[in-house]
Amino acid sequence: MKIKRLEILGFKSFQDKVSLEFNQAITSIVGPNGCGKSNVVDAIRWVMGEQSAKNLRGKAMEDIIFNGTEYRKPLGMAEVSLVFSTEDGRVPAKYLNFTEIQVTRRLYRDGESDYLINKIPCRLLDVAELFMDTGIGARAYSIIEQGKIGMILHAKPEERRFLIEEAA
Amino acid sequence: MKIKRLEILGFKSFQDKVSLEFNQAITSIVGPNGCGKSNVVDAIRWVMGEQSAKNLRGKAMEDIIFNGTEYRKPLGMAEVSLVFSTEDGRVPAKYLNFTEIQVTRRLYRDGESDYLINKIPCRLLDVAELFMDTGIGARAYSIIEQGKIGMILHAKPEERRFLIEEAA
Amino acid sequence: TRKRFLETFQLVNEKFQQIFPRLFCGGHAELRLTDEEDLLTTGLEIVVQPPGKKLQNVSLLSGGEKALTAVALIFSIFLIKPSPFCLLDEVDAPLDDANIGRFNEMVREMSANSQFIIITHNRSTMAVADTLYGVTMEEPGVSKLVSVRLNC
Amino acid sequence: TRKRFLETFQLVNEKFQQIFPRLFCGGHAELRLTDEEDLLTTGLEIVVQPPGKKLQNVSLLSGGEKALTAVALIFSIFLIKPSPFCLLDEVDAPLDDANIGRFNEMVREMSANSQFIIITHNRSTMAVADTLYGVTMEEPGVSKLVSVRLNC
Ligand SMILES: Nc1ncnc2c1ncn2[C@@H]1O[C@H](COP(=O)(O)OP(=O)(O)OP(=O)(O)O)[C@@H](O)[C@H]1O
Ligand SMILES: Nc1ncnc2c1ncn2[C@@H]1O[C@H](COP(=O)(O)OP(=O)(O)OP(=O)(O)O)[C@@H](O)[C@H]1O
Ligand SMILES: [Mg+2]
Ligand SMILES: [Mg+2]
């Protein structure tokens, strides 16, 4: 499966819907400090199932919902969709007749949370299974967050073994 | 007291004697990765009395002595001198008739260690006193090491109070 | 010393509230004591609101915003009790061009009273320096110094 | 799984010994298990010798050397078991121009098999991209996307 598109709405600083096409080999995201680049990384981690707000720089998961600005009100929901193309055929059997697979995650301020695959509600377990079967899982060595590259060398040897474990 | 000059010999990657004049308001140190810029910072911390090898990226204090390269042998001693000008008059009484004050620290591979002020052997205590009296002490807010700027925001509130304590 | 801690805290806080908007081109930040009753053990909290944004957890700030906030605090303390010199090793690494520009302006101002020694890979930071020292390793593992004097 | 851990370790180690000299333009590095007897709890040690320098504690390496070594390890694991995509957020921040050049060359090679999404402030890293997305905050606190398509 290849990533095709990322859609962000109400997630962190993305009040208005934003859609990023990822159909090229190398995509670069640029912009001034604080404009939202790392928030895109957080959005990808989140839609892939991140359960810890701390790993998204928040204190509570509610922190990832657009919180308003000096002039705009907060939103009541965050929604991120990751769309994959199935053209390389490496897809679980039940998705073989789809050209794309869309994984959506929503969070409401009251704490209610939804997962959808191709717009059909499902459980976190189904999303986790899909990512596991297709090898898309957010492995530690496929997402390097800002400032985290140094941790590999500063970590204790026992803390580093997970890198090999994830690839094994 | 103002810094006038830093002399490094046998400290970390400085096998040959290197002398940096600091008589300007803003001095910038530049160069490729691994060429020795942060080692200059380590040299300044060390001559000012740093006692922990860990704070100098080493495991044992012996690590700061030039360890040789593929083609050159290790040295047996590291020596760093920091020279201050006394022209602004803020100097302890016993140094009033000097135009400069030179603080020197040496470390030999056998662990033997020397401190000198104006080339006269003295104790670490004398060097510490001199720095304390002249307000030159390596306060946490006057030396920001590479990669350490982020710690201030990531630290716990109790860990940050030392910044105020040092200025008080 | 409780009294001195509180006095210093208040002076630094005042300065921080001036310095932050200069580096961020607006916005607002302040320091708070976690326990005003116990000055011997109280922690130091940092509250930050970049221009136009809402007050949120400091953890949600971007890498560059966190670095610039830390610089604002360091400079505030420095202005209250200057050291003869200030050594900054690649603090500009996470900053964008606009922030580096304001950072360098402030360094130039503060260098009237203290010597600054700045390690950087950034060209505009180099441009602010009076003296440039190049460190090289023509021979691998052996540092050599090349001095390039910019201004007099 | 002990067997798989050891096999993966050996494959990654082999790759790491090829990748490191490419990024460092020479030198040598390898991985070692701290306890070969106990594969379930053994740690992973990294031994590094930049070109021309002596083998020393990894802690003594420079900021840029540490980052580039970590990148070499990450890329080695990635080449042994590729993920469909790789997300790198400002990993080039501590690197000098020469190292950024070699880093970008390697990203371009690896992008034949995986999609790379790279966040950067560096112009030469931007130049390697096929598509550039600019994120802006014309209105403070609200992210907007501007797409600049470079190649087709
Ligand atoms: N829930 C939220 N609502 C609104 N804004 C938010 C929310 N969470 C985070 N932000 C804002 O997002 C900004 C951080 O964005 P991000 O980390 O993506 O910046 P960046 O582009 O990576 O910058 P840098 O180059 O400094 O790393 C912060 O200013 C923060 O206030
Ligand atoms: N005792 C020693 N003998 C010889 N070389 C040493 C010694 N200690 C450290 N070094 C070398 O010094 C180099 C690190 O230098 P330094 O940290 O000053 O680099 P830098 O110029 O700051 O680079 P960067 O831009 O990546 O931060 C390392 O390659 C290390 O091997
Ligand atoms: Mg960022
Ligand atoms: Mg350095």
Side-chain angles (χ1 to χ4, degrees), chain B residues 36-87:
Chain B
K37 306 179 296 297
S38 299
N39 289 348
V40 172
V41 178
D42 292 338
I44 292 175
R45 292 187 74 102
W46 187 70
V47 72
M48 295 187 69
E50 180 61 62
Q51 294 299 310
S52 158
K54 268 190 132 205
N55 289 347
L56 302 171
R57 288 177 286 159
K59 285 230 169 79
M61 202 45 106
E62 192 189 352
D63 287 345
I64 60 95
I65 304 174
F66 177 76
N67 201 18
T69 69
E70 257 189 323
Y71 308 106
R72 294 202 193 191
K73 290 202 176 65
L75 289 177
M77 175 193 82
E79 175 180 305
V80 177
S81 292
L82 200 48
V83 182
F84 301 92
S85 106
T86 58
E87 36 174 70

Coordinates of all heavy atoms in Angstrom, one line a residue, chain B residues 36-87:
Chain B
G36 N 35.6 20.6 15.9 CA 36.2 21.1 17.1 C 35.5 22.3 17.8 O 36.0 22.8 18.8
K37 N 34.4 22.8 17.2 CA 33.8 24.0 17.7 C 33.3 23.9 19.2 O 33.6 24.6 20.1 CB 32.6 24.5 16.9 CG 33.0 24.6 15.4 CD 31.8 25.0 14.5 CE 30.6 24.0 14.5 NZ 31.0 22.7 13.9
S38 N 32.5 22.8 19.4 CA 32.0 22.6 20.8 C 33.1 22.2 21.7 O 33.0 22.4 22.9 CB 30.9 21.5 20.8 OG 29.8 21.9 20.0
N39 N 34.2 21.6 21.2 CA 35.4 21.3 22.0 C 35.9 22.6 22.6 O 36.5 22.6 23.7 CB 36.4 20.6 21.2 CG 36.0 19.2 20.9 OD1 35.0 18.6 21.5 ND2 36.7 18.5 20.0
V40 N 35.8 23.7 21.9 CA 36.2 25.0 22.4 C 35.4 25.4 23.7 O 35.9 25.9 24.7 CB 36.1 26.2 21.4 CG1 36.4 27.5 22.0 CG2 37.1 25.9 20.2
V41 N 34.1 25.2 23.6 CA 33.2 25.4 24.7 C 33.6 24.5 25.9 O 33.7 25.0 27.0 CB 31.7 25.2 24.3 CG1 30.8 25.4 25.5 CG2 31.3 26.1 23.2
D42 N 33.9 23.3 25.6 CA 34.3 22.3 26.6 C 35.6 22.8 27.3 O 35.8 22.7 28.5 CB 34.6 20.9 26.1 CG 33.3 20.3 25.6 OD1 32.2 20.7 26.1 OD2 33.3 19.3 24.8
A43 N 36.5 23.3 26.5 CA 37.8 23.8 27.0 C 37.6 25.0 28.0 O 38.2 25.1 29.0 CB 38.7 24.3 25.9
I44 N 36.6 25.9 27.6 CA 36.3 27.0 28.5 C 35.7 26.5 29.8 O 36.1 26.9 30.9 CB 35.4 28.0 27.8 CG1 36.2 28.7 26.7 CG2 34.9 29.1 28.8 CD1 35.3 29.6 25.8
R45 N 34.8 25.6 29.7 CA 34.2 25.0 30.9 C 35.2 24.4 31.8 O 35.2 24.5 33.0 CB 33.1 24.0 30.6 CG 31.9 24.5 29.9 CD 30.9 23.3 29.8 NE 30.3 23.1 31.1 CZ 29.1 23.4 31.5 NH1 28.3 24.1 30.6 NH2 28.6 23.2 32.7
W46 N 36.1 23.6 31.2 CA 37.1 22.9 31.9 C 38.1 23.8 32.6 O 38.4 23.5 33.8 CB 37.9 21.9 30.9 CG 38.8 21.0 31.5 CD1 38.5 19.9 32.3 CD2 40.2 21.0 31.5 NE1 39.6 19.2 32.7 CE2 40.7 19.9 32.2 CE3 41.2 21.9 30.9 CZ2 42.1 19.6 32.4 CZ3 42.5 21.6 31.0 CH2 43.0 20.5 31.8
V47 N 38.6 24.8 31.9 CA 39.6 25.7 32.6 C 38.9 26.5 33.7 O 39.6 26.9 34.7 CB 40.3 26.6 31.6 CG1 39.3 27.7 31.1 CG2 41.5 27.2 32.2
M48 N 37.6 26.6 33.6 CA 36.9 27.3 34.7 C 36.5 26.4 35.9 O 35.9 26.8 36.8 CB 35.6 28.0 34.1 CG 35.9 29.0 33.1 SD 34.5 30.0 32.6 CE 34.1 30.8 34.1
G49 N 36.9 25.1 35.8 CA 36.8 24.3 36.9 C 35.9 23.1 36.8 O 35.6 22.4 37.8
E50 N 35.3 22.8 35.6 CA 34.4 21.7 35.5 C 35.0 20.4 36.1 O 36.1 20.0 35.7 CB 34.0 21.5 34.1 CG 33.0 20.4 33.8 CD 31.7 20.6 34.5 OE1 31.0 21.6 34.2 OE2 31.4 19.8 35.4
Q51 N 34.3 19.8 37.0 CA 34.8 18.6 37.7 C 34.2 17.3 37.1 O 34.7 16.2 37.4 CB 34.5 18.7 39.2 CG 35.3 19.8 39.9 CD 36.8 19.7 39.8 OE1 37.3 18.6 40.0 NE2 37.5 20.7 39.3
S52 N 33.1 17.4 36.4 CA 32.4 16.2 35.9 C 32.8 15.9 34.4 O 32.4 16.8 33.6 CB 30.9 16.3 36.1 OG 30.2 15.5 35.3
A53 N 33.4 14.8 34.2 CA 33.7 14.4 32.8 C 32.4 14.3 31.9 O 32.4 14.6 30.7 CB 34.5 13.1 32.7
K54 N 31.3 13.9 32.6 CA 30.1 13.7 31.9 C 29.6 15.1 31.2 O 29.1 15.1 30.1 CB 29.0 13.2 32.8 CG 28.9 11.7 32.8 CD 27.6 11.3 33.6 CE 26.8 10.2 32.8 NZ 25.4 10.2 33.2
N55 N 29.8 16.2 32.0 CA 29.4 17.5 31.5 C 30.3 17.9 30.3 O 30.1 19.0 29.7 CB 29.5 18.5 32.6 CG 28.4 18.3 33.6 OD1 27.4 17.5 33.3 ND2 28.5 19.0 34.7
L56 N 31.4 17.1 30.0 CA 32.2 17.4 28.9 C 32.1 16.3 27.9 O 33.0 16.1 27.0 CB 33.7 17.6 29.4 CG 33.9 18.7 30.5 CD1 35.3 18.6 31.0 CD2 33.6 20.1 29.9
R57 N 31.1 15.6 27.9 CA 30.8 14.5 27.0 C 31.7 13.3 27.1 O 31.8 12.4 26.3 CB 30.8 14.9 25.5 CG 29.6 15.8 25.1 CD 29.7 16.3 23.7 NE 30.7 17.3 23.6 CZ 31.3 17.7 22.4 NH1 31.0 17.0 21.3 NH2 32.2 18.7 22.4
G58 N 32.5 13.3 28.2 CA 33.4 12.1 28.4 C 32.9 11.1 29.4 O 31.9 11.3 30.0
K59 N 33.6 10.0 29.5 CA 33.3 9.1 30.6 C 34.2 9.3 31.8 O 33.8 9.2 32.9 CB 33.4 7.6 30.1 CG 32.2 7.2 29.2 CD 31.6 5.9 29.6 CE 30.3 5.7 28.8 NZ 30.5 5.2 27.4
A60 N 35.5 9.5 31.5 CA 36.5 9.8 32.6 C 37.2 11.0 32.2 O 37.2 11.4 31.0 CB 37.5 8.6 32.7
M61 N 37.7 11.8 33.1 CA 38.3 13.1 32.8 C 39.5 12.9 31.8 O 39.8 13.8 31.1 CB 38.8 13.8 34.1 CG 38.9 15.3 34.0 SD 37.6 16.1 33.1 CE 36.7 16.9 34.5
E62 N 40.1 11.7 31.8 CA 41.2 11.5 30.9 C 40.8 11.6 29.5 O 41.6 11.8 28.6 CB 41.7 10.0 31.2 CG 43.0 9.7 30.5 CD 43.4 8.3 30.6 OE1 42.7 7.5 31.3 OE2 44.4 7.9 29.9
D63 N 39.5 11.5 29.2 CA 39.0 11.6 27.8 C 39.2 12.9 27.2 O 39.1 13.1 26.0 CB 37.4 11.3 27.8 CG 37.1 9.9 28.0 OD1 38.0 9.0 27.9 OD2 35.9 9.6 28.3
I64 N 39.5 13.9 28.0 CA 39.7 15.3 27.4 C 41.1 15.5 27.0 O 41.4 16.5 26.4 CB 39.3 16.4 28.4 CG1 40.1 16.4 29.7 CG2 37.8 16.3 28.7 CD1 41.3 17.3 29.7
I65 N 42.0 14.6 27.2 CA 43.4 14.7 26.7 C 43.4 14.2 25.2 O 42.8 13.1 24.9 CB 44.4 13.9 27.5 CG1 44.3 14.3 29.0 CG2 45.8 14.1 27.0 CD1 45.2 13.5 29.9
F66 N 44.1 14.9 24.3 CA 44.2 14.5 22.9 C 44.6 13.0 22.8 O 45.6 12.6 23.3 CB 45.2 15.4 22.2 CG 45.4 15.0 20.7 CD1 44.4 15.3 19.8 CD2 46.5 14.2 20.4 CE1 44.6 14.9 18.5 CE2 46.7 13.9 19.0 CZ 45.7 14.2 18.1
N67 N 43.7 12.3 22.2 CA 43.8 10.8 22.2 C 44.4 10.3 20.9 O 44.4 9.1 20.7 CB 42.4 10.3 22.3 CG 42.4 8.8 22.8 OD1 43.4 8.4 23.4 ND2 41.3 8.1 22.7
G68 N 45.0 11.1 20.1 CA 45.6 10.7 18.8 C 44.6 10.5 17.7 O 43.4 10.6 17.9
T69 N 45.2 10.3 16.5 CA 44.3 10.0 15.4 C 44.8 8.7 14.7 O 45.7 8.0 15.3 CB 44.4 11.1 14.3 OG1 45.7 11.2 13.7 CG2 44.1 12.5 15.0
E70 N 44.3 8.4 13.5 CA 44.9 7.3 12.8 C 46.4 7.4 12.6 O 47.1 6.4 12.5 CB 44.1 7.1 11.5 CG 43.1 6.0 11.4 CD 42.6 5.8 10.0 OE1 42.4 6.8 9.2 OE2 42.3 4.6 9.7
Y71 N 46.8 8.7 12.5 CA 48.2 8.9 12.1 C 49.1 9.5 13.2 O 50.3 9.6 13.1 CB 48.3 9.7 10.9 CG 47.4 9.2 9.7 CD1 46.2 9.8 9.4 CD2 47.8 8.0 9.0 CE1 45.4 9.3 8.4 CE2 47.0 7.5 8.0 CZ 45.8 8.2 7.7 OH 45.0 7.6 6.7
R72 N 48.4 10.0 14.2 CA 49.2 10.7 15.3 C 49.0 10.0 16.6 O 47.9 9.5 16.9 CB 48.8 12.2 15.4 CG 49.1 13.0 14.2 CD 49.1 14.5 14.6 NE 49.1 15.4 13.4 CZ 49.3 16.7 13.5 NH1 49.7 17.2 14.7 NH2 49.3 17.4 12.4
K73 N 50.1 10.0 17.4 CA 50.0 9.4 18.8 C 49.2 10.3 19.7 O 49.1 11.5 19.6 CB 51.4 9.2 19.3 CG 52.2 8.2 18.6 CD 53.3 7.7 19.5 CE 54.1 6.5 18.9 NZ 54.8 7.0 17.7
P74 N 48.7 9.7 20.8 CA 48.0 10.5 21.8 C 49.1 11.4 22.6 O 50.3 11.1 22.5 CB 47.5 9.4 22.8 CG 47.5 8.2 22.1 CD 48.6 8.3 21.1
L75 N 48.6 12.4 23.2 CA 49.5 13.3 24.0 C 49.4 12.8 25.5 O 48.4 12.1 25.9 CB 49.1 14.7 23.9 CG 49.4 15.4 22.5 CD1 48.9 16.8 22.5 CD2 50.9 15.3 22.3
G76 N 50.3 13.3 26.3 CA 50.3 12.9 27.7 C 49.7 14.0 28.6 O 49.5 13.7 29.8
M77 N 49.4 15.1 28.0 CA 48.9 16.2 28.9 C 48.0 17.1 28.1 O 48.1 17.4 26.9 CB 50.1 17.0 29.4 CG 49.6 18.3 30.2 SD 51.0 19.4 30.5 CE 51.0 20.4 29.0
A78 N 46.9 17.7 28.8 CA 46.1 18.7 28.2 C 46.3 20.0 29.0 O 46.4 19.9 30.2 CB 44.6 18.3 28.2
E79 N 46.4 21.1 28.3 CA 46.5 22.4 29.0 C 45.7 23.4 28.4 O 45.7 23.6 27.2 CB 48.0 22.8 29.0 CG 48.2 24.2 29.6 CD 49.6 24.6 29.6 OE1 50.5 23.9 30.1 OE2 49.9 25.7 29.1
V80 N 44.9 24.1 29.2 CA 44.0 25.2 28.7 C 44.3 26.5 29.6 O 44.3 26.4 30.8 CB 42.5 24.9 28.7 CG1 41.7 26.1 28.3 CG2 42.3 23.6 27.8
S81 N 44.5 27.6 28.9 CA 44.7 28.9 29.7 C 43.6 29.9 29.2 O 43.4 30.0 28.0 CB 46.0 29.5 29.4 OG 47.0 28.7 30.0
L82 N 43.0 30.5 30.2 CA 42.1 31.6 29.9 C 42.7 32.9 30.4 O 43.1 33.0 31.6 CB 40.7 31.3 30.6 CG 39.5 32.0 30.1 CD1 39.3 31.9 28.6 CD2 38.3 31.4 30.8
V83 N 42.8 33.9 29.5 CA 43.5 35.1 29.9 C 42.5 36.2 30.0 O 41.7 36.5 29.0 CB 44.6 35.5 28.9 CG1 45.3 36.8 29.4 CG2 45.6 34.3 28.8
F84 N 42.4 36.9 31.1 CA 41.5 38.0 31.3 C 42.2 39.4 31.4 O 43.4 39.4 31.8 CB 40.7 37.9 32.6 CG 39.9 36.6 32.7 CD1 40.5 35.5 33.3 CD2 38.6 36.5 32.3 CE1 39.8 34.3 33.4 CE2 37.9 35.4 32.4 CZ 38.5 34.2 32.9
S85 N 41.6 40.4 30.9 CA 42.2 41.7 31.0 C 41.6 42.4 32.3 O 40.4 42.2 32.6 CB 41.9 42.6 29.8 OG 40.9 43.5 30.1
T86 N 42.4 43.1 33.0 CA 41.9 43.7 34.3 C 41.6 45.2 34.1 O 41.4 45.9 35.1 CB 43.0 43.6 35.4 OG1 44.2 44.3 34.9 CG2 43.3 42.1 35.6
E87 N 41.5 45.7 32.9 CA 41.4 47.1 32.7 C 40.1 47.7 33.2 O 40.1 48.9 33.6 CB 41.5 47.4 31.2 CG 40.8 46.4 30.3 CD 40.8 46.8 28.8 OE1 41.9 46.9 28.2 OE2 39.7 47.2 28.3

